[in-house]
């Protein structure tokens, strides 16, 4: 987890095949939890882009991505053949993410998307996408089945 790059690129580098198997794009009203994460008013319309990615034919990643609609209107995402992440990297001033990483038991929605039993441990990352001026572009809730794909974290000492 050193570079910001799409899962498909990470899988390719690992010699694995990755493909999009499900996508649901819509406009939704921000819940209190989502509004807090995105620093928007409760009820504000945001773009929801929910994706299931398979690695070597097995559902491995479930992404619940939420972004400001002026950056990613649902119709623009539907018309693009490229992942939203790639477009965000190129066109929004996207600079860095803040991520919280932990394991959880899969709830019903995650279990259904990843075709696993409710309660199965999954890697969970809440990632806030920001510009260089710390404007929040969006928030992603990522769930991954850990027996199909592993992450390695590289840590380096701070420069003096």
């Amino acid at each position: 987890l050193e570079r910001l790059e799409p899962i498909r690129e990470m899988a390719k580098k690992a010699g694995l095949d990755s493909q999009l198997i499900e996508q649901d794009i819509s406009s939704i009203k921000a819940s209190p939890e989502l509004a807090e994460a995105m620093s928007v008013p409760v009820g504000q319309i945001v773009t929801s882009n929910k994706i299931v990615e398979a690695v070597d034919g097995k559902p491995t990643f479930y992404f619940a991505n939420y972004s400001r609609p002026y950056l990613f209107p649902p119709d623009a995402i539907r018309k693009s053949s490229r992942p939203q992440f790639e477009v965000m990297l190129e066109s929004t001033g996207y600079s860095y993410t803040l991520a919280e990483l932990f394991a959880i038991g899969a709830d019903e929605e995650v279990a259904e998307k990843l075709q696993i039993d409710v309660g199965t441990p999954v890697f969970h990352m809440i990632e806030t996408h920001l510009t260089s001026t710390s404007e929040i572009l969006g928030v992603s809730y990522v769930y991954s089945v850990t027996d199909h794909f592993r992450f390695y974290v590289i840590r380096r000492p701070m420069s003096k």
Side-chain angles (χ1 to χ4, degrees), residues 4-133:
L4 291 172
E5 60 187 338
I7 291 298
R8 291 177 203 159
E9 288 300 314
M10 293 170 66
K12 186 177 176 181
K13 287 178 183 176
L16 303 170
D17 178 47
S18 173
Q19 71 249 33
L20 175 72
I21 59 172
E22 183 180 327
Q23 185 170 27
D24 179 27
I25 303 164
S26 62
S27 294
I28 64 165
K29 291 182 180 181
S31 66
E33 176 188 88
L34 183 58
E36 182 178 349
M38 291 184 65
S39 292
V40 299
V42 171
Q44 179 172 318
I45 299 299
V46 298
T47 300
S48 169
N49 183 10
K50 295 185 175 185
I51 297 169
V52 179
E53 290 265 349
V55 174
D56 285 346
K58 293 186 172 202
T60 304
F61 292 96
Y62 173 45
F63 301 89
N65 302 305
Y66 302 96
S67 56
R68 297 176 186 274
Y70 66 87
L71 294 172
F72 299 103
D75 287 343
I77 295 171
R78 283 186 198 97
K79 290 176 186 174
S80 177
S81 61
R82 297 172 48 225
Q84 179 180 343
F85 179 82
E86 287 181 9
V87 175
M88 188 163 48
L89 280 172
E90 294 175 2
S91 63
T92 63
Y94 188 16
S95 181
Y96 67 101
T97 68
L98 294 176
E100 183 179 357
L101 311 146
F102 50 99
I104 62 168
D107 64 18
E108 287 184 26
E109 179 182 357
V110 172
E112 177 187 331
K113 298 295 184 186
L114 296 176
Q115 298 176 12
I116 57 175
D117 293 330
V118 171
T120 299
V122 293
F123 170 81
H124 181 45
M125 178 168 62
I126 301 171
E127 190 167 38
T128 305
H129 309 277
L130 302 122
T131 67
S132 59
T133 59

Side-chain angles (χ1 to χ4, degrees), residues 134-150:
S134 298
E135 175 190 5
I136 296 174
L137 299 169
V139 175
S140 295
Y141 298 88
V142 182
Y143 307 88
S144 173
V145 180
T146 59
D147 59 347
H148 301 314
F149 200 91
R150 295 185 186 260

